[in-house]
């Protein structure tokens, strides 16, 4: 167990802030949810305070089961373990370091297990493991999500290897939650270390960390003593963990309840269609009736090089704009859980006409600074790993997936190669063939090579009228086959990258008309077309006589190229 010296402050009129040293008046600090008004330091909360802050008023019902730890090993250090337990129970009025039960957040039910650091440093022992496991099992029985709030130094040393086994015991309960298609959420608070960090605090589907919290397997002091190096000041902090792709979001305590409510709303089962938002009513009736063009003869012939220019316009709507205009309640998730968060791919959950959907898309930008910060929509391997992680979560929850493609291609840099760019793209392509939930892709701008295909292995692929989809950029093709880049227009025409040609080839299943040339980037109209087309396509997939979505997806891609090859079979005589 990692030793953390600071204990939760006792209730008193004044508290000195560990962050800035200022004295905080107790009642004022309580009104600020325990956050220092001077420096923003998040004081530790008791389990009761945390439950009161997060759940709807009077909605929490504590688990009726009482579980008490016993001294199986006869452990004594500076005092016998039974004495330590008795002192902790007297000081906290708790049976052990976790309070469990059910409640509501934003009106939505969930099971909660909330740790209390005051009880022996929030250490994980057999009683804590049993209570959290029973809470997870209760969530499965009720068919509701689970929220675990961690605050712990790690496994309880006084219970030896039995405490170690609780890491696996709780993890198997989380596996049952996954099998049941239920969401698990980990709220990481300060501090979360050792066996808790290396099990249920990071085994949940979504990881949210409170601002200012720290998490790690070993404490900074132990690491410095082991490796004999000074660590960065922000090491193991919330922002450090977000930058290194290990958590989905960092939230200020004042925003936690609202963020959790939004996540629960974005992932709950559909309750019926939502009315179209007023700004989307701008679409004309004729556009609604013809929202998806399925016959290439109904599309105008557009010069391929002109389509390249249109698809690359920085004024075209981005994934975040489509999310704002066509979807409701988007909750973004971050990180690949390995190394970093790639800003070139946006991923998370939202609602479309009342239906929960996972949305994953390339993100470019409009202005130079944003384009640079988003790497011009060219993802690193971490972006594809984040995308696949969110897609697999949606698959477990039974939520349809919508991908929005707009990229020149995957980033070809040195770091990307070192981090396994080819492997990341390959894993996405293969992984999408294993998804049991509907997948719909819309190519909204550039569909560049494998960087686009890694998000486009879908049951249905749509594209906008002036978008493009290609094996390589026209400039790259020109440089390789023509020997110079000036033949890019000819290469574009030869590659067959326009919406009409791709519809003829069956690479896309439908085309979405765009506003006239005089107003090529009318974001509300394009967002309305995208939202309507995706909703309609998902409904068609729902109503399909054959609902084997995996077989449908594999058959779709199995058929490509059949008309472009000659196949002759030679019958072999059986070997005697």
């Amino acid at each position: 167990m990692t030793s953390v010296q600071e204990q939760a402050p006792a209730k008193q009129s004044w508290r000195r802030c560990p962050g800035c040293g200022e004295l905080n008046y107790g009642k004022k600090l309580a009104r600020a949810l325990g956050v220092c008004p001077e420096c923003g330091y998040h004081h530790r909360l008791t389990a009761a305070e945390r439950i009161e802050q997060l759940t709807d008023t009077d909605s929490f019902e504590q688990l009726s089961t009482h579980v008490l730890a016993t001294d199986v090993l006869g452990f004594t250090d500076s005092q016998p373990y039974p004495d330590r337990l008795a002192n902790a129970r007297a000081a906290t009025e708790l049976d052990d370091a976790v309070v469990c039960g059910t409640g509501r957040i934003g009106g939505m039910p969930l099971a909660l297990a909330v740790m209390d650091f005051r009880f022996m440093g929030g250490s994980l022992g057999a009683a804590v493991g049993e209570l959290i496991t029973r809470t997870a099992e209760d969530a499965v029985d009720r068919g509701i999500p689970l929220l675990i709030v961690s605050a712990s130094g790690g496994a309880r040393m006084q219970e030896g290897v039995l405490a170690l086994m609780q890491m696996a015991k709780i993890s198997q309960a989380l596996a049952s939650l996954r099998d049941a298609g239920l969401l698990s959420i980990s709220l990481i608070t300060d501090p979360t270390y050792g066996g808790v960090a290396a099990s249920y605090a990071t085994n949940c589907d979504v990881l949210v960390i409170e601002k200012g919290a720290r998490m790690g397997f070993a404490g900074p002091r132990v690491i410095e003593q082991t490796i004999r190096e000074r660590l960065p000041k922000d090491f193991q902090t919330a922002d450090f963990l977000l930058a290194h792709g290990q958590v989905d979001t960092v939230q200020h305590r004042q925003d936690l309840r609202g963020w959790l409510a939004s996540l629960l709303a974005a992932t709950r089962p559909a309750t019926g269609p939502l009315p179209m938002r007023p700004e989307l009513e701008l679409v004309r009736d004729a556009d609604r009736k013809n929202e998806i063009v399925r016959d290439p003869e109904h599309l105008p012939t557009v010069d391929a090089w002109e389509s390249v220019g249109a698809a690359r316009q920085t004024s075209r709507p981005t994934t975040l704009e489509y999310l704002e205009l066509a979807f409701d309640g988007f909750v973004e998730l971050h990180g690949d859980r390995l190394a970093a968060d790639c800003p070139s791919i946006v991923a998370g959950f939202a609602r479309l006409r009342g239906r929960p959907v996972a949305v994953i898309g390339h993100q470019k930008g409009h202005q130079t600074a944003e384009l640079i910060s988003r790497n011009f929509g060219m993802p690193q391997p971490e972006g594809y790993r984040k995308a696949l992680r969110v897609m697999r979560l949606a698959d477990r929850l039974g939520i349809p997936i919508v991908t929005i493609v707009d990229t020149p291609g995957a980033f070809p840099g040195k770091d990307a190669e070192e981090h396994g760019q080819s492997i990341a793209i390959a894993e996405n392509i293969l992984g999408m063939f294993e998804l049991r939930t509907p997948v719909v892709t819309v190519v909204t701008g550039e569909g560049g090579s494998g960087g686009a295909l890694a998000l486009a292995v879908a049951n249905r692929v749509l594209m906008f009228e002036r978008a493009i989809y290609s094996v390589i950029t026209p400039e790259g093709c020109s440089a390789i086959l023509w020997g110079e880049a000036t033949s890019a227009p000819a290469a574009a025409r030869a590659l067959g990258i326009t919406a009409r040609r791709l519809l003829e080839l069956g690479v896309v299943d439908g085309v979405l008309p765009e506003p006239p040339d005089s107003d090529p980037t009318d974001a509300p109209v394009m967002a309305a077309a995208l939202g309507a087309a995706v909703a309609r396509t998902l409904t068609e997939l729902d109503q399909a006589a054959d609902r084997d979505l995996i077989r449908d997806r594999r058959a779709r891609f199995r058929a490509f190229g059949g008309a472009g090859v000659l196949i002759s079979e030679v019958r072999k005589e059986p070997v005697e």
Side-chain angles (χ1 to χ4, degrees):
M1 184 180 87
T2 302
S3 174
V4 183
Q5 295 182 357
E6 184 204 348
Q7 300 294 318
K11 290 187 177 180
Q12 50 194 6
S13 297
W14 294 89
R15 295 184 185 179
R16 187 170 297 280
C17 175
C20 64
E22 291 292 322
L23 285 173
N24 297 151
Y25 183 55
K27 290 185 178 179
K28 182 178 180 181
L29 187 61
R31 289 195 297 271
L33 305 181
V35 179
C36 175
E38 301 298 328
C39 71
Y41 177 83
H42 285 50
H43 287 266
R44 290 189 188 139
L45 300 178
T46 67
E49 289 170 333
R50 183 72 66 178
I51 290 167
E52 182 181 6
Q53 287 186 12
L54 291 179
T55 60
D56 298 351
T57 303
D58 297 328
S59 69
F60 181 74
E61 294 183 11
Q62 191 165 346
L63 198 68
S64 59
T65 303
H66 289 274
V67 180
L68 296 176
T70 59
D71 185 16
V72 175
L73 301 179
F75 193 99
T76 298
D77 47 89
S78 59
Q79 61 179 293
Y81 182 39
D83 291 350
R84 287 191 180 276
L85 288 171
N87 292 336
R89 288 167 186 155
T92 63
E93 299 181 345
L94 298 175
D95 289 339
D96 216 300
V98 68
V99 177
C100 300
T102 58
R104 292 180 176 271
I105 296 179
M108 290 161 284
L110 76 165
L112 300 95
V114 182
M115 301 191 74
D116 196 315
F117 191 78
R118 297 174 304 155
F119 196 107
M120 296 186 65
S123 53
L124 169 62
V128 172
E130 181 67 22
L131 285 165
I132 296 177
T133 298
R134 285 176 178 251
T135 304
E137 291 168 347
D138 190 38
V140 172
D141 291 341
R142 295 171 182 258
I144 58 177
L146 170 67
L147 169 65
I148 301 178
V149 183
S150 298
S152 174
R156 188 170 296 175
M157 292 178 287
Q158 292 86 347
E159 296 185 17
V161 74
L162 290 178
L164 180 69
M165 293 300 107
Q166 303 310 306
M167 297 166 60
K169 177 178 179 175
I170 298 172
S171 296
Q172 64 82 29
L174 290 174
S176 296
L177 209 71
R178 287 188 175 191
D179 291 342
L182 297 170
L183 180 70
S184 61
I185 309 165
S186 173
L187 169 53
I188 300 157
T189 72
D190 191 57
T192 297
Y193 279 97
V196 171
S199 58
Y200 56 87
T202 52
N203 262 344
C204 291
D205 295 319
V206 176
L207 309 185
V208 51
I209 186 167
E210 189 172 65
K211 189 173 180 61
R214 296 165 294 160
M215 181 180 73
F217 182 61
R221 187 181 307 170
V222 173
I223 295 173
E224 286 186 337
Q225 290 173 351
T226 302
I227 67 174
R228 300 188 182 281
E229 292 180 9
R230 295 291 296 175
L231 297 170
K233 284 187 66 176
D234 68 342
F235 185 69
Q236 295 181 333
T237 63
D239 291 335
F240 175 93
L241 294 166
L242 181 67
H244 287 81
Q246 295 179 39
V247 296
D248 286 293
T249 183
V250 176
Q251 291 293 320
H252 191 284
R253 187 172 292 166
Q254 293 177 344
D255 301 322
L256 267 174
R257 187 174 180 275
W259 191 91
L260 290 169
S262 296
L263 176 66
L264 293 170
T267 55
R268 77 183 190 275
T271 55
L274 292 176
M276 183 175 283
R277 287 155 54 186
E279 62 266 31
L280 302 187
E281 292 290 352
L282 294 172
V283 187
R284 296 172 298 152
D285 289 341
D287 290 331
R288 286 197 188 96
K289 293 176 183 177
N290 300 299
E291 59 198 26
I292 304 177
V293 177
R294 305 183 193 273
D295 185 347
E297 295 299 322
H298 294 164
L299 289 172
T301 300
V302 180
D303 180 73
W305 188 241
E306 291 181 8
S307 289
V308 171
R312 291 175 176 174
Q313 284 184 331
T314 58
S315 55
R316 289 180 78 85
T318 66
T319 292
L320 286 174
E321 287 173 304
Y322 286 118
L323 281 162
E324 180 182 358
L325 292 169
F327 298 81
D328 291 287
F330 176 63
V331 178
E332 186 173 359
L333 304 181
H334 295 272
D336 67 343
R337 294 286 196 273
L338 292 174
D341 179 56
C342 175
S344 301
I345 286 185
V346 171
F349 290 90
R351 297 186 79 81
L352 177 64
R353 312 286 175 87
R355 177 203 289 263
V357 291
V359 184
I360 299 101
H362 299 96
Q363 178 66 20
K364 288 183 176 178
H366 299 302
Q367 305 303 321
T368 302
E370 184 184 6
L371 286 164
I372 293 172
S373 70
R374 298 284 182 177
N375 203 30
F376 297 87
M378 295 185 291
Q380 301 270 6
E382 294 81 6
Y384 292 114
R385 294 185 179 117
K386 171 173 65 175
L388 187 57
R389 178 175 71 83
V390 174
M391 285 190 275
R392 284 174 170 162
L393 173 56
D395 188 46
R396 289 201 304 271
L397 299 176
I399 293 175
I401 297 166
V402 179
T403 64
I404 297 174
V405 170
D406 185 12
T407 180
F411 185 64
K414 174 178 176 290
D415 287 348
E417 293 297 329
E418 289 177 347
H419 297 171
Q421 185 71 285
S422 297
I423 295 171
I425 292 171
E427 286 180 343
N428 269 40
I429 293 171
L430 179 60
M432 292 185 75
F433 280 115
E434 299 170 342
L435 300 172
R436 297 161 297 176
T437 196
V439 184
V440 176
T441 292
V442 184
V443 182
T444 60
E446 290 183 272
S449 191
L453 182 61
L455 297 190
V457 179
N459 295 92
R460 300 293 182 269
V461 179
L462 310 173
M463 71 185 297
F464 273 105
E465 186 178 352
R466 296 186 184 89
I468 59 173
Y469 198 180
S470 178
V471 67
I472 191 173
T473 63
E475 293 86 349
C477 178
S478 174
I480 294 170
L481 298 182
W482 273 261
E484 39 79 25
T486 57
S487 297
R493 297 176 188 114
L495 283 167
I497 61 178
T498 63
R500 175 172 175 143
R501 185 64 180 128
L502 292 166
L503 188 59
E504 290 172 347
L505 293 170
V507 172
V508 300
D509 303 289
V511 175
L512 312 184
E514 295 189 30
D517 292 336
S518 59
D519 191 9
T521 58
D522 193 328
V525 172
M526 292 181 74
L530 183 144
V534 171
R536 178 174 171 180
T537 303
L538 287 174
T539 299
E540 291 171 355
L541 290 170
D542 287 341
Q543 297 172 349
D546 184 355
R547 281 279 296 161
D548 190 334
L549 294 164
I550 292 178
R551 185 170 62 187
D552 172 84
R553 200 176 304 123
R554 292 180 183 181
R556 183 184 187 279
F557 287 85
R558 171 66 178 85
F560 288 136
V565 295
L566 293 175
I567 301 173
S568 60
E569 296 185 4
V570 178
R571 182 175 296 177
K572 295 182 179 181
E573 297 297 327
V575 178
E576 295 183 358

